[in-house]
């Protein structure tokens, strides 16, 4: 029976750990698509140096293609002023609006691409540069201001599963907690099972964080991404922003799992010690009989003390009626 309980508890811990590892990315993705978390994630992208250089070069290349060469000294001044301009609240709001429009393409759009239109942002940068005495010859065409974040057939599949994502985001965390709780209740040694569950979930979250880094290396090593410097720079910046956001959620669950694991280890060590001490305090130090200490030499079993056989008639002292004992 103990073997069966241990096997069932171990199996439930494994299933709960797998469900927890799945629940964190699903809940994160649902938050990115349905809440303001997406804006918080993409906001730091505007301060990325590589992305700033990419936006400036897009304007320079568009001018060069139309025969309006930008003087090198202006390019240096543009790169110098870019960080200051993009740090303004107006630039951040324009960038946020453009990215929210790109997010809506995932939910309600069509096709296999997610595109951010930076035309309004580049126009704002041009106005601010003009205020600093830098006048770019001509605004870039619309095709030059549209940055493709993702181009994959999986976008269409993701769009179909957005509705299911919201349901799974609510069900999976509850299922993970329920399965792990059932594993602890069904175990014979519950504190040990709690420690094992905490360690298993923590290891799972750590493995997911490592997988994020491996996925980034594989994505940037893709021939299509590596062949284009602009695409590679943009993909790296976007992956880093979203990867950091997901990594923060994974790390939060990892810390919670470690705390539960430590609590389980502490309980498995402390509770048996307290029980032993409690039992020792209730156990008498020496032999007792009816609440009073027994005399030395009479430490015989209780049953023999209370139920000693009476002597037979032949073993009793002889006495006749009317005669006293000599």
């Amino acid at each position: 029976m103990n073997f069966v309980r241990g096997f069932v508890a171990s199996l439930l811990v494994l299933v709960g750990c797998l469900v927890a590892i799945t629940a964190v990315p699903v809940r994160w993705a649902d938050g990115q698509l349905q809440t303001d978390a997406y804006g918080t994630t993409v906001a730091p992208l505007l301060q990325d140096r590589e992305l700033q250089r990419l936006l400036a070069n897009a304007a320079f290349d568009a001018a060069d293609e139309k025969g309006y060469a930008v003087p090198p000294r202006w390019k240096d001044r543009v790169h110098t002023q870019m960080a200051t301009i993009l740090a303004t609240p107006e630039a951040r709001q324009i960038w946020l609006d453009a990215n929210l429009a790109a997010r809506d393409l995932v939910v309600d759009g069509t096709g296999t691409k997610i595109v951010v239109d930076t035309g309004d942002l580049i126009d704002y940068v041009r106005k601010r540069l003009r205020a600093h005495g830098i006048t770019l010859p001509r605004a870039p065409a619309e095709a030059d201001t549209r940055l493709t974040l993702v181009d994959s057939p999986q976008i269409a599949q993701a769009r179909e599963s957005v509705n299911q994502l919201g349901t799974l985001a609510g069900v999976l965390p509850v299922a993970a907690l329920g399965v792990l709780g059932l594993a602890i209740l069904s175990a014979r040694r519950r504190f040990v099972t709690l420690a094992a569950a905490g360690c298993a979930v923590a290891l799972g979250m750590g493995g997911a964080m490592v997988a994020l880094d491996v996925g980034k290396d594989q994505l940037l090593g893709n021939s299509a991404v590596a062949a284009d410097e602009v695409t590679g720079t943009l993909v790296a910046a976007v992956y880093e922003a979203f990867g950091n956001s997901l990594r923060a959620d994974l790390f939060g669950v990892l810390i919670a799992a470690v705390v539960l694991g430590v609590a389980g280890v502490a309980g498995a060590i402390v509770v048996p010690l307290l029980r032993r001490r409690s039992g020792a305090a209730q156990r008498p130090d020496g032999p007792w009989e009816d609440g009073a200490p027994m005399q030395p030499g009479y430490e015989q079993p209780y049953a023999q003390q209370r139920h000693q056989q009476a002597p037979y008639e032949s073993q009793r002292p002889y006495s006749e009626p009317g005669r006293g004992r000599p």
Side-chain angles (χ1 to χ4, degrees), residues 18-32:
L18 294 177
V19 175
I21 295 173
T22 307
V24 175
V26 169
R27 188 172 180 82
W28 170 84
D30 181 68
Q32 294 293 321

Side-chain angles (χ1 to χ4, degrees), residues 14-319:
L14 178 61
V15 173
C17 179
L18 294 177
V19 175
I21 295 173
T22 307
V24 175
V26 169
R27 188 172 180 82
W28 170 84
D30 181 68
Q32 294 293 321
L33 293 175
Q34 304 296 337
T35 68
D36 295 335
Y38 184 86
T40 304
T41 302
V42 300
L45 279 173
L46 198 58
Q47 303 304 318
D48 185 80
R49 292 290 184 180
E50 294 297 327
L51 183 60
Q52 294 175 2
R53 185 177 62 85
L54 177 64
L55 293 174
N57 290 338
F60 297 153
D61 294 342
D64 291 340
E65 291 177 359
K66 298 181 181 300
Y68 299 96
V70 179
R73 59 185 181 86
W74 282 15
K75 289 184 178 181
D76 295 337
R77 292 182 62 185
V78 168
H79 287 298
T80 302
Q81 296 292 332
M82 185 66 75
T84 303
I85 295 174
L86 295 181
T88 59
E90 294 83 358
R92 290 198 297 265
Q93 186 61 45
I94 295 173
W95 174 253
L96 178 61
D97 293 340
N99 280 275
L100 290 178
R103 184 192 66 175
D104 293 340
L105 291 177
V106 179
V107 180
D108 302 322
T110 58
T112 61
K113 293 183 179 181
I114 300 178
V115 179
V116 176
D117 189 356
T118 61
D120 294 339
L121 183 61
I122 292 178
D123 289 340
Y124 174 77
V125 172
R126 285 170 54 86
K127 292 178 182 178
R128 292 298 301 269
L129 290 175
R130 191 179 301 114
H132 288 81
I134 305 174
T135 303
L136 296 179
R138 180 173 295 185
E142 181 179 356
D144 298 324
T145 62
R146 298 174 63 84
L147 301 179
T148 301
L149 298 180
V150 180
D151 185 3
S152 172
Q154 296 179 353
I155 296 299
Q157 300 176 2
R159 188 176 293 115
E160 296 176 358
S161 62
V162 166
N163 295 329
Q164 299 178 359
L165 194 65
T167 303
L168 292 176
V171 171
L172 288 179
V174 177
L177 293 175
V179 172
L180 292 175
L182 184 61
I184 295 172
L185 292 176
S186 63
R188 178 172 171 267
R189 303 176 66 181
R190 293 177 178 175
F191 284 110
V192 175
T193 305
L194 176 62
C199 292
V201 174
L203 289 175
M205 297 303 147
M209 294 171 67
V210 173
L212 281 176
D213 296 331
V214 175
K216 178 182 178 180
D217 295 337
Q218 292 181 351
L219 180 63
L220 296 180
N222 188 359
S223 59
V225 175
D228 189 352
E229 180 183 0
V230 174
T231 303
T233 301
L234 182 61
V235 169
V238 172
Y239 190 96
E240 190 69 22
F242 285 94
N244 289 338
S245 177
L246 177 56
R247 190 178 289 107
D249 288 1
L250 292 171
F251 185 73
V253 178
L254 186 148
I255 294 299
V258 169
V259 171
L260 290 178
V262 171
V265 172
I269 296 174
V270 173
V271 171
L273 293 177
L274 293 177
R275 288 176 178 173
R276 291 194 188 98
R277 296 185 63 179
S278 177
Q282 296 177 1
R283 188 182 305 114
D285 295 334
W288 293 75
E289 172 68 18
D290 294 333
M294 295 176 59
Q295 298 295 329
Y298 288 87
E299 298 87 350
Q300 51 185 333
Y302 178 79
Q304 296 181 12
Q305 296 174 13
R306 302 295 293 180
H307 304 286
Q308 293 182 357
Q309 293 183 356
Y312 296 101
E313 291 291 334
S314 59
Q315 297 176 348
R316 293 182 178 180
Y318 175 77
S319 63

